[in-house]
Amino acid sequence: MVIMNNDVVTEILLHLPVQSLLRFRSVCKFWADVIDSRYFRKLYTQNNDNNKADDKVYLQFSLSNGQIRVQHNQKSLISDESDHFKGIGVGRVRLHGPVKGLICIECTNLGLPIAICNPLLGQLKHLPLIPNTSCTIICSSVGVGFDGDCKVVQLLSCKTHRCLHTHVYSGRTNSWRELNEHNGVLVDLQLRYDNTIKSACTNGYYAHWRVCRRKEGYACSSEILSFDMKNEAFKTTVLPGEYARSKIFAEDEHSFRRFDIPDALFDNLVGIYELKCEEGKLSWHHVMNVNVPLYGIPRSTSTSVLFEQYMGTFVYDFRARKFVSLLPKRSHIGSRTFEYRGSFVSLNA
C-alpha cells in the first residue's frame, strides 16, 4: 500500500468538487479532519472557481406555508421551519445567484428579511432588517457577491427623490450600511420590472441590473447598472434600443448578451445578440438563431444559465453558445429549479 504524505493528500483533495469532498469525509478520520479544517476550506474557496462540470446540480426551491425548502433528488438540503415568510407566495420571492455557492432569497415585501443560504452545507441565514425609510419606494432588488466576504446589495427605487437608494450587507459584520450616492450615477434611475441580470461570472465580483434613466419629458434610456463588489462602486452602460421582452445575460464582468425568447408556445426560435463597442459606439450584433429543445434532460456542461419562462426553464450553455435543453415546468405550485455549484463558503461566524 502506498502511503501519501499530508501535503499530497491535501493537494489532491483541493482538485475535487465539493459534492465529492462531502462524501469523502466518511473515508477516514484524517480526510474528514482535513476537509473540515478552516484552513482547507479557505484555501479551497480561494483556489477553486466552482466551475467543474461534475460539480453542477439542479436544485428545487420551494416556499410553502412560509417555510423555505431546498431539495436535490428528493433529498432535503435545507428545511427552514421559521415563520419569516408566512403568508408569502413564491411569486413574491426572488432567487439571486448562486455566487460562490451562496443563494440570496429576496421577498418583495420590505418588511421581511432577506435570506442567504448554502444548500450543500445546509446553512440558511436571515439577514437583519434595513431601517425603515420615509421615502416612497416603488420596488426593490438585490444582488449577491463575494470578494473574500459575502456581500448583498439592495437597491430601492425611490419616487420621492427620483433615484436609487443603496445598501450593502457584509457577512463579516453581519450588518447593513448605506452607500453614498456615487457622482450622480444613481440619480434619475429606476429599476425595471424584470431587472435582475443573470450571470455566468463565478468569482462574484460584480452584480448587474436592468434600469431606466428618466430624461426630459417622458423619455428614458435603457441601461445596465453594475456594482463592483471590491471597490463598492457603481457604473452604468447605456443600451442601444429598447428590448422590453428580451433577457440580458452577463457572460463575464463586462460582456453582455441579449436573448429574444419567443412568446408563442409553437415558436421555438431564439435570437441571440452580443453587445459590442465599435468606434466608441455600443450596438447589438446578431450572433445566431437557435432552436430551443422542447424535451430532454440537461447535459452536463462546463457552465450554463437558466431562463424561467411560462412553458419551462431554458438551459443555455454559454460556451457552446446554444440551448441544450428545456426543463419542464413543475406541476406543483411554489417551486423553482435553479442551477447550482457548491462551495465551502460558510454563513456561520
Side-chain angles (χ1 to χ4, degrees):
M1 181 177 67
V2 178
I3 300 178
M4 294 181 288
N5 63 41
N6 295 355
D7 291 340
V8 173
V9 172
T10 300
E11 184 64 28
I12 293 173
L13 293 177
L14 282 172
H15 288 82
L16 298 177
V18 175
Q19 292 180 87
S20 298
L21 291 173
L22 293 176
R23 292 196 301 270
F24 290 167
R25 292 171 68 254
S26 60
V27 171
C28 64
K29 186 177 185 302
F30 171 67
W31 282 27
D33 290 342
V34 171
I35 295 170
D36 289 341
S37 69
R38 180 171 294 183
Y39 169 77
F40 176 85
R41 295 193 172 193
K42 181 179 180 180
L43 192 62
Y44 188 91
T45 300
Q46 291 174 342
N47 297 345
N48 194 290
D49 62 2
N50 302 120
N51 202 26
K52 295 181 174 65
D54 56 350
D55 202 24
K56 181 177 69 174
V57 296
Y58 290 93
L59 304 185
Q60 193 67 31
F61 167 89
S62 62
L63 183 69
S64 178
N65 297 322
Q67 298 175 349
I68 298 170
R69 287 185 174 83
V70 182
Q71 293 181 302
H72 174 52
N73 291 337
Q74 307 303 316
K75 178 182 178 182
S76 179
L77 302 178
I78 290 178
S79 182
D80 176 42
E81 303 301 327
S82 66
D83 59 356
H84 283 97
F85 295 96
K86 195 167 185 178
I88 299 298
V90 72
R92 288 183 286 167
V93 174
R94 306 187 189 109
L95 303 179
H96 304 274
V99 171
K100 289 292 185 181
L102 302 179
I103 296 168
C104 186
I105 305 168
E106 173 207 14
C107 181
T108 55
N109 183 343
L110 296 179
L112 295 177
I114 295 168
I116 50 177
C117 67
N118 185 327
L120 287 189
L121 297 186
Q123 297 177 348
L124 184 142
K125 182 177 184 179
H126 295 278
L127 307 188
L129 288 173
I130 295 176
N132 291 331
T133 175
S134 58
C135 299
T136 302
I137 303 302
I138 303 171
C139 61
S140 66
S141 186
V142 304
V144 59
F146 190 85
D147 68 340
D149 179 20
C150 169
K151 290 185 177 179
V152 178
V153 180
Q154 184 182 58
L155 308 180
L156 301 174
S157 276
C158 176
K159 184 178 179 181
T160 306
H161 299 98
R162 292 177 53 176
C163 70
L164 291 178
H165 295 307
T166 59
H167 300 79
V168 62
Y169 167 86
S170 167
R172 288 198 184 105
T173 63
N174 190 33
S175 62
W176 293 90
R177 58 188 172 83
E178 188 170 5
L179 294 174
N180 294 325
E181 191 274 320
H182 291 264
N183 300 321
V185 171
L186 306 179
V187 174
D188 288 330
L189 280 186
Q190 296 293 328
L191 290 166
R192 293 175 58 106
Y193 174 72
D194 185 15
N195 54 64
T196 302
I197 293 178
K198 296 179 182 291
S199 176
C201 307
T202 58
N203 56 33
Y205 294 158
Y206 283 82
H208 309 279
W209 300 266
R210 294 181 74 173
V211 295
C212 56
R213 185 182 300 276
R214 186 178 299 179
K215 295 186 175 182
E216 293 183 4
Y218 294 97
C220 63
S221 63
S222 180
E223 303 182 16
I224 293 175
L225 176 67
S226 302
F227 181 73
D228 180 345
M229 296 286 174
K230 281 188 171 182
N231 300 309
E232 295 192 354
F234 287 96
K235 76 168 189 176
T236 57
T237 303
V238 180
L239 295 176
E242 173 60 42
Y243 303 93
R245 305 187 70 85
S246 299
K247 296 285 186 179
I248 293 181
F249 165 55
E251 274 195 297
D252 55 36
E253 290 90 341
H254 311 291
S255 301
F256 300 94
R257 286 179 179 264
R258 188 185 95 226
F259 296 78
D260 292 347
I261 298 177
D263 297 320
L265 182 63
F266 55 83
D267 184 3
N268 63 346
L269 191 65
V270 176
I272 302 178
Y273 299 80
E274 186 176 21
L275 188 63
K276 289 187 176 182
C277 182
E278 294 182 351
E279 299 180 355
K281 185 177 181 180
L282 287 173
S283 60
W284 290 109
H285 286 246
H286 182 259
V287 176
M288 67 179 73
N289 292 324
V290 294
N291 287 311
V292 180
L294 297 181
Y295 303 100
I297 299 174
R299 295 198 303 269
S300 179
T301 59
S302 55
T303 188
S304 57
V305 66
L306 304 184
F307 292 98
E308 289 183 328
Q309 297 293 308
Y310 66 90
M311 61 177 119
T313 301
F314 297 94
V315 181
Y316 176 77
D317 179 353
F318 87 95
R319 287 188 176 174
R321 297 190 175 186
K322 64 180 181 180
F323 286 90
V324 293
S325 70
L326 181 144
L327 300 171
K329 268 288 193 194
R330 295 284 179 171
S331 58
H332 56 281
I333 299 174
S335 68
R336 290 177 184 168
T337 301
F338 57 94
E339 182 185 281
Y340 180 78
R341 290 178 179 85
S343 82
F344 283 123
V345 177
S346 177
L347 303 177
N348 299 328

